[in-house]
Amino acid sequence: MRITAAKVIVCCPGRNFITLKIDTDAGIYGLGDATLNGRELAVATYLEQYCIPALIGKDPRNTEDIWHYFYRGVYWKRGAVTMTAVSAIDLALWDIKGKALNTPLYNLLGGKSRERILVYAHATGKNLQQTIDDVGRKVEQSFQAVRVQSGVAGLAKIYGVAKDGRSYEPAQKGMPAEEVWDTSKYLNSVPQVFEKVREAFGHDLHLLHDVHHRCTPIEAARLAKSLEPYHLFWLEDPVSGELQEGLRLLRQHSTTPIAIGEVFNTVYDYTALITEQLIDYIRMPLVHGGGITHLLKVAAFASIYHIQTGFHGATDLSPVNLAASIHFDLAISNFGIQEYMPHQEVVHEVFKINYRFDSGFLQINEAPGIGVDIDEEKARDYPYQTACLPVNRKADGTMYYW
Ligand code: GCO
Ligand code: MG
């Protein structure tokens, strides 16, 4: 089998998505997600200018060799743009492999280790009451795990809290919006939120929280310690991702489980976090972390240290990534949980999906490969729109982490 053509499909059904489509002489094509929120066209250009010409003529079944061609073979390695392109190629090739063998992707990864995938939902509110109401809605929808993000008095806008009645989407049209941050107000507020949520919903519901990289190591240690009575499923990204040593301080002070890595791209971003057992869940998604080929190795490496997966699954990753994640989650033995934010309905005009949510879990059908298809004509109805993630400043104007 040979690769005969490949193209990048850019569309914006509610938000921007980049999809790589690889064609073969067997009449089979594969799809890979290449969406990098707010930097979409950088990946599209990388693929179009530097990868697609080199793919033509290669045997798509050689996923290992092709992965190394675009990773090891390239002098300028790693980084979000490069690795998202590598991921998209890898996902499309595994999609082709599954279709060629007429079997769902999970069968190529070891078969099923479980029948369904535990997911967590997002609950948000501008204040405590709204947040508790939203957790209640997720419980009614049968979610067994809920990530809780609440507004903080005195902060106008905050990561994770949706605009009234809308699902949360942090990217905004045009150049980055500016938000104002105050760690002290945040640290005082979060434990009170979890105290009330536990009071209202008891102790069986799994609760999660995302700090979004906003604490220094000692602040993160204080937060993790103060949340211990509410035994979170995990505390996510408590410190900035690039400072691996920061997690040591947190670990000395708290038993709250830690998840980290949605901004990581290769195993080299977190070898210390894994080997020193400074985290409990890895979050690097297939779409940014080198696809199936790399994540299989990272998940196996993490499993030796009793670390589980909890893949990033925000709506800025396309249905192709979510379906691929479900296959992966079904197959590996150290699966922990999957983030699940349902895409807006308009997304499903373009992407035809093969998974469904049922009673707290995601399930996938037996379509071969990854199993998601794209309607290219529909995609053309939704052209790209410039949109960026916000930036954050402290009240005195100092640039901070968003
Ligand atoms: C999450 C993430 C997202 C990111 C977003 C950035 O845990 O789901 O933190 O909300 O902010 O994916 O593009
Ligand atoms: Mg996060």
Side-chain angles (χ1 to χ4, degrees):
M1 206 191 306
R2 296 284 154 197
I3 296 171
T4 49
K7 67 175 161 190
V8 176
I9 302 162
V10 181
C11 63
C12 186
R15 67 152 359 275
N16 291 318
F17 292 113
I18 308 291
T19 309
L20 175 68
K21 181 174 184 183
I22 298 182
D23 287 309
T24 65
D25 57 5
I28 295 169
Y29 61 85
L31 297 180
D33 184 14
T35 311
L36 184 62
N37 203 3
R39 294 291 183 271
E40 294 88 357
L41 298 185
V43 183
T45 305
Y46 191 101
L47 282 166
E48 281 168 346
Q49 299 297 315
Y50 307 109
C51 303
I52 289 177
L55 273 171
I56 309 301
K58 286 194 164 43
D59 186 330
R61 294 169 296 191
N62 295 336
T63 40
E64 188 72 18
D65 181 66
I66 294 176
W67 195 89
H68 283 285
Y69 183 91
F70 289 106
Y71 178 80
R72 193 182 294 172
V74 172
Y75 191 60
W76 309 109
K77 290 178 186 51
R78 303 171 62 187
V81 173
T82 300
M83 293 310 294
T84 304
V86 173
S87 306
I89 295 167
D90 190 71
L91 288 175
L93 297 184
W94 279 90
D95 193 24
I96 291 170
K97 208 193 284 282
K99 287 174 179 165
L101 296 168
N102 194 27
T103 194
L105 175 60
Y106 58 75
N107 279 334
L108 306 178
L109 310 179
K112 286 187 184 174
S113 289
R114 56 197 58 77
E115 288 301 322
R116 49 194 193 153
I117 295 308
L118 177 68
V119 296
Y120 69 89
H122 287 200
T124 78
K126 282 190 181 152
N127 54 42
L128 187 55
Q129 192 51 51
Q130 283 185 13
T131 306
I132 289 180
D133 292 347
D134 202 30
V135 176
R137 278 189 285 274
K138 303 302 167 191
V139 171
E140 271 167 34
Q141 291 163 20
S142 77
F143 282 98
Q144 298 180 16
V146 182
R147 185 188 95 156
V148 182
Q149 308 291 136
S150 192
V152 173
L155 296 184
K157 277 170 92 186
I158 181 169
Y159 162 76
V161 176
K163 294 195 190 95
D164 286 328
R166 298 211 219 145
S167 54
Y168 180 64
E169 171 50 71
Q172 289 147 24
K173 288 203 182 105
M175 285 294 108
E178 295 207 1
E179 297 179 359
V180 178
W181 176 249
D182 185 322
T183 308
S184 156
K185 288 192 170 71
Y186 168 76
L187 288 178
N188 290 336
S189 149
V190 179
Q192 294 174 30
V193 171
F194 280 90
E195 184 186 354
K196 296 293 174 205
V197 171
R198 275 286 176 234
E199 260 173 43
F201 298 96
H203 286 263
D204 285 341
L205 185 65
H206 295 308
L207 297 179
L208 301 84
H209 180 69
D210 190 349
V211 186
H212 222 253
H213 324 271
R214 295 190 181 180
C215 287
T216 63
I218 197 66
E219 288 164 351
R222 169 185 153 191
L223 178 63
K225 195 169 167 181
S226 64
L227 290 172
E228 277 173 11
Y230 318 114
H231 49 87
L232 266 54
F233 187 99
W234 80 35
L235 185 66
E236 177 182 334
D237 288 333
V239 294
S240 158
E242 67 262 26
L243 181 64
Q244 297 195 31
E245 296 83 346
L247 270 294
R248 286 192 194 128
L249 190 65
L250 189 157
R251 275 305 220 214
Q252 285 159 17
H253 291 281
S254 173
T255 55
T256 296
I258 302 299
I260 202 161
E262 67 182 41
V263 297
F264 293 166
N265 322 117
T266 76
V267 71
Y268 301 109
D269 293 327
Y270 53 128
T271 47
L273 298 183
I274 295 173
T275 57
E276 291 186 37
Q277 290 168 281
L278 300 178
I279 53 172
D280 304 280
Y281 296 91
I282 53 172
R283 300 239 327 125
M284 184 172 81
L286 298 172
V287 53
H288 302 146
I292 303 286
T293 298
H294 191 51
L295 256 308
L296 275 177
K297 293 166 190 174
V298 180
F301 176 50
S303 78
I304 295 165
Y305 294 91
H306 296 208
I307 295 169
Q308 295 174 284
T309 62
F311 285 158
H312 189 198
T315 39
D316 47 84
L317 316 178
S318 95
V320 175
N321 174 72
L322 181 55
S325 303
I326 299 169
H327 287 283
F328 197 94
D329 296 341
L330 277 174
I332 59 163
S333 79
N334 57 326
F335 164 73
I337 200 165
Q338 171 69 49
E339 181 177 17
Y340 175 50
M341 284 174 82
H343 288 105
Q344 301 171 45
E345 263 321 301
V346 60
V347 175
H348 301 132
E349 286 181 22
V350 175
F351 294 94
K352 304 297 164 198
I353 62 172
N354 56 339
Y355 49 82
R356 67 187 170 87
F357 174 76
D358 183 22
S359 307
F361 294 83
L362 275 172
Q363 296 193 320
I364 200 153
N365 71 23
E366 296 192 345
I370 294 173
V372 170
D373 210 350
I374 190 165
D375 182 334
E376 291 183 57
E377 216 177 291
K378 269 278 169 214
R380 278 192 283 276
D381 292 345
Y382 300 102
Y384 173 80
Q385 296 184 19
T386 304
C388 286
L389 291 168
V391 295
N392 231 357
R393 288 186 190 277
K394 292 185 186 176
D396 69 359
T398 311
M399 276 306 300
Y400 201 58
Y401 298 95
W402 181 76

